Amino acid sequence: MSTQANSDKNVRDVGESLRASEVRGKPRSEIDPAYRWNLEDIYAAEADWQQDAQRLQALVQAFVGRQGTLGRSAADLLAGLKHHDEIGMVAGKLYVYAKMKLDEDTANGAAQTLFNQATSLLVQANAATSFFVPEILSVDANQLQAFVDATPELQVYRFALEEITRQRDHVLSPEAEQLLAQFGEVLGAPSDIFEMYNNADMVFPTIADENGQSVEITHAMYHELLERKDRDVRERAFTAVYDTYKRHRNTIAAVYAANVKRNVVNARIRNFPSARVASLDADNIPVAVYDNLIQAVEESLPALTKYLQLRKRVLGVDQLQMWDLFVPLVADIDWKIPYDEAKATVLDAVKVFGDTYLEAATRGLNSRWVDVYETRGKRSGGYSWGTYGTHPYILLNHTDTVQDMFTLAHELGHSMHSYFSRKTQPYVYSDYTLFVAEVASTCNEAILYDYLGRIIAEPAKRAYLLNQQLETIRGTLLTQTLFAEFEKMTHDHAEQGGALTADWLDETFYQLNVKYYGNAVNVTDRTAHGWMRIPHFYSAFYVYKYATGISAAIALSRKILSEGQPAVAAYVDFLSAGSSDTSIELLRKAGVDMTSPEPVRQALTQFEQLVEELGKVL
């Protein structure tokens, strides 16, 4: 039986939607398979995974014999490139399956073992193929060009080879690259340690809710508690979570410091002036894009203050606290959206992208791409993932909130970007760069806001959506820029010889929050510990891409809604382009120029306009 048929059989109608409360606390095995992703689409059984693991080892061993041959002839270069691609495809499937299996239950010993095996295989593959780029760079540039020009099958690799050549000054000798690759598992330890510590070992206390019932705080439940109407519940949740992190501050500081030092050392070894430049160079992004973002957001902080002052007045509090920043401003609305209803709404919204997009999205969401509900030990948050040769997968921790519906739209955007890129592009260009990674996801959110604004007439819900849209921009553009500035400061401090102690990290994060929120919010000492909660800090200089991504997405969504089919066609071309051109050029073809500060300023202008509009409504 096909996955599609199996999924259709299990999915309920919207009218009988399963609610998150019905599955909370249940073992994973008791949740309807329709709400669990189907990793068997990758490997039907672990024996198949192990068979591919052996295949990878054979491919890696054979690849070692190619060392010294890549420059001999066009045929040798082509064979090496294809062999390298095959290793990447098999290794990707092995790693993605093992990681998602672990994410189902991070405390599962068997899953931990499989993931450790996958990590070791990946390190071995990286070590064995580490000579690949240095050896290509050792070939005379004119000779390399001649190989490509004379060989039709090499034409597809032209841009990839140009990108390799661009980084000539930052690639080490084959021996040095091999040595670094062998340390891959060790260098990735800070991220692995934090994830295990944060998801498997971090235990938050139980608090009383507004009815006096005990509620065990989890990562997903925490966000729901911060939206509760009862201010005391919000304060108890905030205090419990931040005090829990405070007890671990020295350990987490040591883990994060190790991560920063790894980035700094890697940049120095590769002859980059800083870790930030090294990170941005991977996507060929000028550092000015990062600096302009921070500057533009800091210039707009009066608009943030105005919004926060509005929030204070509407909530009727003497002093706005950090735990008051997420509760909806429309006090009399109780808007719960079960997953199936959220799915149907999102699919209606994305019809604007055309039949091809809609058909793919519908098929995916009805074919067990999604792992919907929180279960004990499951990785927190949400993501879209997969690899070449698999369909995309989406991890959620759905709790029936409006925000969770937008999370589904967000992750579906990622999945559609991956789906079209992998479907259209050869393996070498099938992944998109991290710089454009958040464009499709936040574009989906903008389209969903527009759709809901057109179909919902109830004033309270319309006001709620205005508030939600403001919160999306605040969280994605303003907050992520605060995080980006924190990352810049931590890496600058380490590069100047400073120690990243818990005290320094707390004080730095506290002062940034004072700068952003201090004119309207009581920024207490507890706020200083917020840096400990951010998993993305272990993927250095990633968070700024949320801010640039939403700026590009707002611009693209406006074009799609105002121009129709021509803009839709350009957008789907962008989704299908993978990494076949530079990120800046791909976005320019889609209709937005990110070398200019204008997209960021336009997004911030929209934030100001929404503040004005919400103020009038309320």
Side-chain angles (χ1 to χ4, degrees):
M1 181 182 291
S2 71
T3 304
Q4 177 68 48
N6 206 21
S7 175
D8 289 345
K9 177 182 177 181
N10 288 307
V11 170
R12 304 180 181 203
D13 293 329
V14 172
E16 53 173 342
S17 293
L18 183 68
R19 294 185 177 274
S21 58
E22 296 178 51
V23 300
R24 188 168 293 137
K26 281 189 175 182
R28 180 179 182 83
S29 59
E30 294 182 12
I31 295 176
D32 188 334
Y35 300 98
R36 306 197 315 252
W37 59 22
N38 186 15
L39 298 186
E40 292 179 1
D41 286 348
I42 306 177
Y43 292 109
E46 187 176 332
D48 299 317
W49 189 95
Q50 295 294 348
Q51 184 175 348
D52 247 4
Q54 294 176 6
R55 179 186 169 204
L56 177 63
Q57 290 175 312
L59 285 167
V60 167
Q61 186 174 2
F63 193 81
V64 174
R66 295 193 182 277
Q67 188 164 6
T69 70
L70 300 180
R72 290 192 314 199
S73 67
D76 284 311
L77 177 60
L78 178 61
L81 287 163
K82 287 185 173 181
H83 195 160
H84 191 264
D85 286 352
E86 189 175 6
I87 288 173
M89 285 185 273
V90 177
K93 286 181 65 177
L94 290 168
Y95 186 82
V96 162
Y97 176 89
K99 182 63 170 67
M100 290 194 293
K101 200 70 178 171
L102 178 61
D103 287 347
E104 292 179 350
D105 182 0
T106 57
N108 184 300
Q112 292 173 9
T113 299
L114 193 69
F115 177 65
N116 289 338
Q117 185 181 353
T119 302
S120 296
L121 286 169
L122 201 61
V123 170
Q124 293 171 26
N126 288 338
T129 60
S130 59
F131 72 87
F132 182 69
V133 171
E135 186 166 319
I136 288 177
L137 289 175
S138 71
V139 180
D140 180 78
N142 293 328
Q143 182 64 70
L144 200 63
Q145 185 68 42
F147 285 163
V148 174
D149 291 341
T151 311
E153 284 188 275
L154 277 174
Q155 298 293 324
V156 70
Y157 292 100
R158 184 183 297 276
F159 179 70
L161 292 170
E162 289 173 354
E163 281 294 283
I164 291 174
T165 303
R166 181 178 64 80
Q167 301 193 36
R168 184 180 296 274
D169 293 340
H170 309 295
V171 176
L172 308 180
S173 67
E175 295 77 16
E177 290 289 350
Q178 186 176 39
L179 182 62
L180 281 178
Q182 289 174 345
F183 275 95
E185 192 169 359
V186 176
L187 294 174
S191 177
D192 294 339
I193 293 169
F194 175 79
E195 185 165 326
M196 190 64 65
Y197 197 76
N198 198 42
N199 293 308
D201 295 338
M202 187 72 73
V203 178
F204 301 112
T206 297
I207 66 168
D209 67 10
E210 57 268 35
N211 299 313
Q213 300 296 314
S214 295
V215 177
E216 181 184 356
I217 300 177
T218 62
H219 288 288
M221 195 66 195
Y222 173 62
H223 295 287
E224 182 183 333
L225 290 167
L226 287 183
E227 294 186 1
R228 296 286 178 93
K229 298 175 185 178
D230 191 309
R231 198 183 193 203
D232 291 336
V233 172
R234 302 199 301 270
E235 181 178 0
R236 285 196 290 270
F238 181 91
T239 301
V241 167
Y242 276 69
D243 284 355
T244 300
Y245 276 103
K246 181 181 179 180
R247 289 194 292 272
H248 302 268
R249 63 194 290 269
N250 291 306
T251 298
I252 298 177
V255 175
Y256 179 64
N259 189 69
V260 172
K261 290 173 185 175
R262 177 199 67 172
N263 301 331
V264 170
V265 170
N266 180 68
R268 288 174 179 166
I269 289 174
R270 295 192 177 282
N271 304 311
F272 286 103
S274 70
R276 189 162 62 110
V277 172
S279 178
L280 270 64
D281 185 75
D283 294 338
N284 201 4
I285 305 299
V287 177
V289 171
Y290 199 106
D291 294 334
N292 289 341
L293 168 68
I294 293 174
Q295 182 180 347
V297 168
E298 289 184 348
E299 291 170 355
S300 75
L301 289 181
L304 174 60
T305 298
K306 186 174 182 179
Y307 168 58
L308 296 172
Q309 289 170 341
L310 172 64
R311 173 172 280 275
K312 175 185 173 183
R313 290 197 303 273
V314 173
L315 293 178
V317 297
D318 294 333
Q319 191 174 43
L320 201 65
Q321 303 288 349
M322 296 300 286
W323 51 82
D324 296 323
L325 298 186
F326 301 95
V327 60
L329 293 182
V330 185
D332 296 326
I333 189 169
D334 184 14
W335 195 357
K336 291 294 184 182
I337 304 177
Y339 172 73
D340 289 307
E341 181 182 340
K343 179 176 71 173
T345 302
V346 169
L347 289 174
D348 281 342
V350 300
K351 287 178 180 177
V352 71
F353 295 131
D355 291 342
T356 302
Y357 186 106
L358 179 63
E359 288 168 5
T362 303
R363 183 170 66 255
L365 294 187
N366 289 328
S367 300
R368 294 184 62 191
W369 287 12
V370 189
D371 204 78
V372 179
Y373 296 111
E374 180 182 25
T375 52
R376 187 171 296 277
K378 181 178 173 180
R379 186 190 189 277
S380 63
Y383 64 65
S384 170
W385 209 28
T387 188
Y388 198 79
T390 77
H391 59 70
Y393 284 88
I394 296 174
L395 180 139
L396 302 175
N397 283 276
H398 193 85
T399 58
D400 295 352
T401 65
V402 176
Q403 183 57 48
D404 287 337
M405 178 172 66
F406 278 89
T407 298
L408 173 61
H410 181 100
E411 301 305 341
L412 179 64
H414 283 307
S415 290
M416 290 295 95
H417 199 173
S418 299
Y419 172 82
F420 283 110
S421 288
R422 292 171 190 155
K423 179 182 178 181
T424 308
Q425 298 296 326
Y427 172 77
V428 67
Y429 304 126
S430 59
D431 277 338
Y432 41 86
T433 70
L434 291 179
F435 184 76
V436 301
E438 297 302 332
V439 174
S441 55
T442 46
C443 188
N444 266 24
E445 292 188 61
I447 293 297
L448 180 56
Y449 279 123
D450 176 79
Y451 173 75
L452 293 173
R454 286 185 283 108
I455 68 168
I456 292 177
E458 186 179 339
K461 287 186 175 181
R462 291 182 66 85
Y464 183 93
L465 286 172
L466 280 171
N467 180 206
Q468 191 76 13
Q469 196 167 1
L470 278 164
E471 282 300 300
T472 296
I473 297 176
R474 181 175 74 87
T476 309
L477 179 51
L478 297 165
T479 300
Q480 299 300 328
T481 301
L482 185 157
F483 291 164
E485 193 166 357
F486 178 76
E487 282 196 289
K488 178 180 183 296
M489 294 171 74
T490 58
H491 285 77
D492 286 351
H493 187 66
E495 285 165 345
Q496 293 162 10
L500 295 176
T501 63
D503 287 343
W504 188 93
L505 291 164
D506 278 356
E507 179 63 18
T508 301
F509 196 74
Y510 173 80
Q511 292 298 337
L512 277 173
N513 275 271
V514 169
K515 180 169 73 172
Y516 277 66
Y517 293 101
N519 288 331
V521 182
N522 180 31
V523 182
T524 66
D525 291 344
R526 281 194 178 91
T527 306
H529 312 312
W531 62 270
M532 288 184 264
R533 299 183 53 247
I534 314 302
H536 280 326
F537 284 163
Y538 294 84
S539 300
F541 304 109
Y542 182 88
V543 293
Y544 91 97
K545 297 164 187 174
Y546 282 110
T548 54
I550 193 173
S551 301
I554 287 173
L556 289 172
S557 65
R558 285 177 173 177
K559 287 180 69 68
I560 289 166
L561 293 170
S562 63
E563 299 176 12
Q565 181 54 36
V568 168
Y571 181 68
V572 174
D573 285 345
F574 162 74
L575 296 181
S576 304
S579 56
S580 60
D581 206 338
T582 65
S583 301
I584 295 294
E585 186 58 29
L586 290 174
L587 284 172
R588 186 178 286 118
K589 290 175 182 176
V592 59
D593 183 5
M594 291 307 297
T595 61
S596 163
E598 284 309 305
V600 177
R601 289 174 179 161
Q602 288 174 10
L604 294 168
T605 297
Q606 179 168 332
F607 181 82
E608 294 182 54
Q609 293 169 347
L610 289 169
V611 172
E612 293 286 347
E613 187 176 353
L614 183 61
K616 291 176 183 178
V617 172
L618 295 178

